[in-house]
Amino acid sequence: MQKRWYNPIISWFEKYWFVSLLIAIFFAGLIYYISDTPSSGFPSGLGIKTKIYHLGVYFLLAFFISLAIIRGKINNKYLIIIALLVSVAYGISDEIHQFFVPGRNSTFRDVFINTTGVLMAIVFYYAVRE
């Protein structure tokens, strides 16, 4: 296997998995903070920007969760499933949380977009570690 420029970076985040975990917690907090902001705090008509936000932020959350949980043991399917379930569960809980925030909507479409970002991150992680 050819050594790629990103291998040492990925390996560092796996070795110091607690840094990956802290970054994942940061993204989880960011998601919570934005989700907890009533819709009057955001400009209306964001459309595609919100879809890109959901996809991107859940990609980053799941990627750093994967780094912290899997830690290079890419053949351990149980660790991959745990990282997937933790990330998807956070996306679902975020949509449930938004249901109770005034002016916010909780949609299955957002759960689908969140889950798509999570799946993309796990496939990406698998691809760069393979």
Side-chain angles (χ1 to χ4, degrees):
M1 180 170 81
Q2 180 185 2
K3 189 167 181 158
R4 306 273 159 97
W5 65 267
Y6 50 77
N7 286 354
I9 298 168
I10 298 293
S11 296
W12 187 89
F13 277 107
E14 290 168 344
K15 180 178 179 183
Y16 299 102
W17 60 270
F18 55 90
V19 175
S20 299
L21 184 61
L22 289 174
I23 293 170
I25 290 169
F26 167 79
F27 280 110
L30 177 67
I31 292 167
Y32 181 85
Y33 174 77
I34 292 172
S35 294
D36 204 43
T37 304
S39 65
S40 61
F42 291 106
S44 62
L46 292 175
I48 191 74
K49 291 180 184 177
T50 59
K51 292 172 183 65
I52 292 170
Y53 159 77
H54 277 266
L55 196 67
V57 78
Y58 276 93
F59 178 94
L60 291 169
L61 175 71
F63 184 70
F64 284 102
I65 286 174
S66 296
L67 286 168
I69 292 175
I70 300 169
R71 299 184 216 164
K73 300 176 191 110
I74 204 69
N75 293 326
N76 189 331
K77 295 184 185 351
Y78 294 113
L79 294 177
I80 295 170
I81 290 169
I82 290 169
L84 175 77
L85 291 177
V86 167
S87 302
V88 169
Y90 193 80
I92 292 169
S93 70
D94 177 52
E95 291 304 313
I96 293 169
H97 167 243
Q98 284 186 30
F99 180 78
F100 297 102
V101 177
R104 296 303 298 257
N105 293 327
S106 178
T107 67
F108 286 112
R109 182 188 71 227
D110 286 345
V111 170
F112 175 76
I113 294 169
N114 298 347
T115 302
T116 302
V118 167
L119 290 172
M120 287 172 58
I122 291 179
V123 167
F124 177 76
Y125 178 65
Y126 186 82
V128 299
R129 287 307 287 156
E130 196 55 33

